[in-house]
Amino acid sequence: MASALPPETLRVTIWNEFIHEQTVDQVRQIYPSGIHAVIAAALEAKFGTEVCVRIATLAEPEHGLTYAVLAETDVLLWWGHAAHDRVEDDIVQRVHERVLQGMGFVALHSAHASKIFRRLMGTSCMLRWREAAEKERVWVIDPGHPIVSGLRDEWFELPNSEMYGEHFDIPAPEELFLVSWFEGGEVFRSGCAWRRGKGRVVYLSPGHETFPIYHNPNMQLLIANAVRYAAPTGGMYLGQGRNIVPSLSPISATHVVDENLHRAK
């Protein structure tokens, strides 16, 4: 139980729709226990007892994202591809509220088209793509950013990847730390971060299910760093409207409020 964990433990939930690994042989061979299992093992290897990882999948009741689970989640990772439309809207609303309250959210690869990422961004989040097993060169364009900490060079290569290309219909990233170049010529903003309410939102694009990208040590390092970066920072969430009747200092004017103006007709 989360209540038995040391207070400094980072509570991570990995959400995976978990469809391709069970239905497509090519994907099953790369991720026999699911993409989530590879990511979970990488986080546990990186953080040891400092992390507590929970798995949630589409087929579970409430997609595994009950109010209780989200209340005990510091950072939520999201991987989806084939079933974005099957995620229930009330669950999306639930996750959105938790992000505003301070829960970190890390969207992976095709999660750009998920309901929750689109909700957080407020745009279509669509892009160019091509699946041709081409080389992807991932460039670090902000070497001081915490998510790229520990990478040993200015770039690294993925021998086979799905191309994601511009234009990527997202709000301008508040922090842009990776840009990818593809063998076919396209470029893409592949590592981005924003704040929404009190929560940090990170997008990492490399990671198509038919390539072993999540086995790549550089990608595992980026995901671990993104989890640490997106962790809640404390403090209050003040996103709700508040009617402050008593003032901090005296107000000289006399004003009678017609409360009917503030009520729905």
Side-chain angles (χ1 to χ4, degrees):
M1 296 296 291
S3 59
L5 297 172
E8 66 276 9
T9 301
L10 186 58
R11 303 169 301 176
V12 178
T13 298
I14 303 173
W15 191 87
N16 179 13
E17 66 180 29
F18 196 33
I19 293 177
H20 292 313
E21 301 98 312
Q22 300 183 82
T23 59
V24 180
D25 286 340
Q26 182 183 5
V27 180
R28 186 184 296 112
Q29 290 172 11
I30 300 169
Y31 301 107
S33 299
I35 288 172
H36 55 271
V38 173
I39 295 173
L43 293 178
E44 289 165 349
K46 172 69 174 178
F47 296 122
T49 57
E50 296 179 8
V51 70
C52 176
V53 178
R54 183 196 305 262
I55 305 302
T57 62
L58 179 72
E60 296 177 65
E62 300 180 69
H63 308 321
L65 299 174
T66 64
Y67 283 107
V69 166
L70 290 173
E72 296 177 349
T73 298
D74 296 316
V75 181
L76 175 63
L77 286 87
W78 195 279
W79 199 98
H81 186 193
H84 297 312
D85 60 337
R86 290 168 54 187
V87 176
E88 297 176 11
D89 291 340
D90 60 338
I91 305 300
V92 174
Q93 175 65 21
R94 188 180 299 175
V95 173
H96 183 259
E97 290 175 356
R98 279 288 292 126
V99 173
L100 297 181
Q101 294 163 4
M103 181 184 73
F105 183 83
V106 180
L108 300 172
H109 189 59
S110 48
H112 73 86
S114 65
K115 287 181 178 180
I116 179 57
F117 188 70
R118 289 178 167 183
R119 174 77 177 272
L120 289 162
M121 294 295 104
T123 56
S124 76
C125 301
M126 294 310 291
L127 43 80
R128 294 156 57 95
W129 75 90
R130 175 177 57 246
E131 188 175 347
E134 61 199 277
K135 178 168 60 180
E136 177 178 357
R137 184 172 296 144
V138 183
W139 283 93
V140 175
I141 63 166
D142 183 358
H145 198 281
I147 294 180
V148 302
S149 177
L151 292 180
R152 296 183 177 181
D153 210 333
E154 297 174 278
W155 53 271
F156 66 92
E157 285 187 350
L158 300 169
N160 303 114
S161 188
E162 179 184 31
M163 184 278 290
Y164 275 6
E166 297 291 343
H167 174 63
F168 186 18
D169 185 26
I170 53 174
E174 295 168 18
E175 301 171 46
L176 179 62
F177 50 90
L178 298 175
V179 168
S180 288
W181 167 89
F182 292 87
E183 190 175 355
E186 284 83 0
V187 295
F188 189 69
R189 291 168 288 173
S190 52
C192 312
W194 303 260
R195 274 197 180 273
R196 292 294 182 264
K198 284 189 74 275
R200 283 175 165 166
V201 177
V202 178
Y203 176 68
L204 295 171
S205 68
H208 191 60
E209 68 278 353
T210 60
F211 306 117
I213 292 172
Y214 292 125
H215 291 281
N216 181 282
N218 290 314
M219 280 306 304
Q220 293 183 356
L221 177 62
L222 286 171
I223 292 171
N225 286 346
V227 166
R228 177 66 75 191
Y229 172 80
T233 56
M236 297 181 292
Y237 174 59
L238 301 176
Q240 301 299 324
R242 292 162 293 147
N243 181 20
I244 308 300
V245 176
S247 60
L248 298 176
S249 301
I251 299 173
S252 59
T254 299
H255 179 64
V256 178
V257 177
D258 181 357
E259 292 294 346
N260 290 323
L261 296 175
H262 304 284
R263 298 190 179 99
K265 299 296 184 181

